Amino acid sequence: MISFKQFLREADDSQDAREFFHREAAPFIDQAEGAGVLVRGTHHSPPVYKTVTLPSGKEITVHRMEVRKDRKPMDMPREAHEIADKFMKDKFGIAGRSGTAFVVGAVNSELAAGYGDLYAVIPQGEFRYIWSPKTMDLYDYFEYTGFDGRARGMETPEKISMWREELEGMKYQDTDLPRAIRSGFEVMLECDHLLLVRVDDDEILDELYKVLR
């Protein structure tokens, strides 16, 4: 038999945010070392997963999204996308362009918000990642440095080799997540699911910083 207090607690759907995230996202919390939160913009409405209570007492909705493993390029030419994907797969064992979610550190929230409603993003459970300390966004690099014009089509071994050399020079790595978060550069997350929280104001981010420590 449970007590009346236990009954009330179990009847309440909301959970303590710190307890929830430390249970659902322990690997991220350990590796991020309190560096902050990752964000992304999206026009889609992710499914609702849980309601949690922040330290301030404010209740927020946590959404849960499956990470696609067959992502197609939106703007980057298919050949460049596939070569970059294979390069990352060969180097890190991660299909960085087709099997990950693209996010940035919250310092770059304005950029992320350009893609839709802004959400804080936390990988659920085990995850891996790739990022470059030299390249904020791979598509932007490809498009705005003029490289797309020099290698358009990539129909020859020489052009394929040229693109792979460019990728090698970007010094992609799968370490130092705190630096990646603080940089605001593109991070490619490989995991099964993401936990997302709609960022309606800066206070949400401030409170998430507190609970993700």
Side-chain angles (χ1 to χ4, degrees):
M1 180 178 294
I2 63 173
S3 69
F4 183 63
K5 285 185 178 180
Q6 287 174 312
F7 171 78
L8 291 177
R9 187 162 56 247
E10 292 181 7
D12 184 1
D13 288 336
S14 183
Q15 297 183 14
D16 175 76
R18 182 182 297 276
E19 179 183 338
F20 171 82
F21 284 114
H22 279 256
R23 181 182 69 247
E24 300 279 338
F28 173 79
I29 292 170
D30 289 344
Q31 293 191 53
E33 299 177 358
V37 178
L38 294 163
V39 297
R40 67 178 288 163
T42 178
H43 291 294
H44 303 292
S45 180
V48 173
Y49 184 58
K50 193 68 66 176
T51 300
V52 300
T53 305
L54 295 170
S56 66
K58 180 177 181 176
E59 288 191 346
I60 58 171
T61 299
V62 179
H63 303 262
R64 185 172 183 255
M65 184 188 83
E66 183 176 358
V67 177
R68 293 182 56 181
K69 306 302 181 183
D70 60 348
R71 181 183 176 276
K72 302 295 189 295
M74 291 180 61
D75 301 300
M76 183 177 286
R78 180 182 55 81
E79 296 93 336
H81 166 87
E82 291 177 352
I83 292 167
D85 209 42
K86 186 176 187 306
F87 169 83
M88 294 173 185
K89 185 73 173 177
D90 291 345
K91 195 173 184 67
F92 303 103
I94 299 172
R97 305 309 290 181
S98 65
T100 65
F102 298 171
V103 297
V104 297
V107 68
N108 219 345
S109 291
E110 186 174 347
L111 172 67
Y115 291 90
D117 296 329
L118 186 66
Y119 285 84
V121 177
I122 304 105
Q124 185 182 35
E126 297 297 330
F127 74 104
R128 295 189 298 168
Y129 62 95
I130 310 172
W131 75 289
S132 164
K134 292 180 171 290
T135 306
M136 179 176 290
D137 181 278
L138 184 58
Y139 172 71
D140 284 352
Y141 176 90
F142 186 82
E143 180 74 12
Y144 296 118
T145 61
F147 186 82
D148 61 329
R150 290 184 283 125
R152 186 169 298 282
M154 295 193 178
E155 68 278 6
T156 66
E158 291 78 14
K159 289 186 176 182
I160 292 172
S161 177
M162 186 191 306
W163 182 222
R164 288 185 66 92
E165 287 178 10
E166 292 286 331
L167 291 165
E168 192 69 55
M170 295 175 197
K171 305 298 182 185
Y172 277 100
Q173 62 186 70
D174 58 356
T175 57
D176 204 350
L177 183 60
R179 183 182 173 199
I181 294 172
R182 294 189 182 103
S183 74
F185 284 15
E186 178 181 73
V187 178
M188 290 162 273
L189 289 178
E190 183 195 64
C191 56
D192 290 331
H193 295 91
L194 299 175
L195 301 173
L196 301 98
V197 175
R198 176 77 177 270
V199 179
D200 297 315
D201 53 58
D202 290 341
E203 291 182 7
I204 296 291
L205 288 177
D206 291 342
E207 292 214 64
L208 285 175
Y209 288 151
K210 293 176 184 177
V211 302
L212 295 173
R213 290 178 178 272

